[in-house]
Amino acid sequence: MKRIACTVLVLATGWLCLSQLAAASSDSRKIDGSHSTVTVRVCKSGFLSAFGHNHEIQAPIQSGEVKESDSLSVELQVDAHKLRVLDPEVSEGTRAQIQDTMQGIQVLDVVHFSEIRFQSTAVEPKGPDHWIVHGSLALHGKDRPVAVEVTLKGEHYRGSATLKQTDFGITPVTVAGGTVKVKDEVKIEFEVALMK
């Protein structure tokens, strides 16, 4: 009888452990890459900036995961090859030139640095459905700390952060002897949908 009771106790304990593991893993949800994007906004500056353009660059978020529990966390990856210059006010040919420069050795160098990755290290609550997410951004072969302001609206997480290109070893593009250039500071925005 004692042996049966021990067996039942071991089985019950095992089932409880498995249930807890399943519950722990169920709060992690994969990012829905087909409905998640990152957008980079690059602004012009310089003496003749009226002759330059602001740039809007976008890519799908390739993969990632959000852990929705007491210890919130997020990780995501973007394929730098998939960044596309949107700039609707310029011609298709000019867009293609900007695209080539952005992906080339002068800026992102996507041949050598194809992945952009963010991994959270801490999440600071700022109110209902509002957080500051601290983490490490890997870009252009450098890892730097970044703070992202995040809100949850409906089923989507939306966020933004400002960073300096020079912090990641990128020299802002200049033309016409520096009279037209892009600002060192760029704004990163994202929208993340999770798999159902």
Side-chain angles (χ1 to χ4, degrees):
M1 192 63 153
K2 283 184 180 179
R3 184 173 290 168
I4 292 172
C6 283
T7 303
V8 169
L9 182 60
V10 166
L11 288 173
T13 303
W15 179 82
L16 183 60
C17 288
L18 287 173
S19 299
Q20 288 173 337
L21 283 172
S25 63
S26 69
D27 69 355
S28 290
R29 294 176 63 191
K30 298 284 184 196
I31 288 174
D32 181 354
S34 61
H35 296 98
S36 301
T37 57
V38 62
T39 304
V40 182
R41 299 190 188 280
V42 184
C43 295
K44 61 190 176 182
S45 70
F47 178 66
L48 297 177
S49 62
F51 298 102
H53 325 290
N54 293 327
H55 302 298
E56 183 178 349
I57 302 155
Q58 193 173 81
I61 294 175
Q62 181 178 358
S63 63
E65 187 174 80
V66 173
K67 186 175 179 185
E68 298 176 309
S69 67
D70 292 338
S71 56
L72 288 164
S73 68
V74 62
E75 65 174 278
L76 54 87
Q77 293 83 35
V78 173
D79 182 349
H81 292 97
K82 294 188 177 175
L83 284 162
R84 293 291 172 259
V85 175
L86 303 181
D87 297 2
E89 75 280 3
V90 300
S91 70
E92 189 175 324
T94 302
R95 253 194 320 274
Q97 288 176 341
I98 297 166
Q99 177 94 22
D100 288 345
T101 301
M102 175 198 65
Q103 291 189 327
I105 196 165
Q106 190 178 357
V107 183
L108 291 177
D109 193 4
V110 300
V111 171
H112 296 102
F113 308 111
S114 61
E115 185 181 72
I116 301 167
R117 188 182 69 256
F118 177 80
Q119 174 66 59
S120 66
T121 53
V123 178
E124 183 184 345
K126 285 293 182 183
D129 297 331
H130 185 196
W131 306 267
I132 302 295
V133 179
H134 301 273
S136 178
L137 178 65
L139 170 66
H140 196 250
K142 311 273 187 205
D143 284 276
R144 297 288 181 265
V146 174
V148 184
E149 187 165 356
V150 179
T151 57
L152 177 62
K153 294 188 178 180
E155 295 280 319
H156 290 221
Y157 288 97
R158 292 185 172 94
S160 64
T162 301
L163 57 88
K164 289 186 175 181
Q165 297 179 70
T166 51
D167 288 345
F168 294 88
I170 300 169
T171 302
V173 173
T174 63
V175 294
T179 56
V180 180
K181 55 188 175 181
V182 298
K183 291 183 178 179
D184 189 8
E185 265 192 1
V186 298
K187 186 173 185 182
I188 310 289
E189 300 171 346
F190 68 85
E191 183 164 344
V192 171
L194 301 180
M195 299 293 278
K196 302 285 186 189

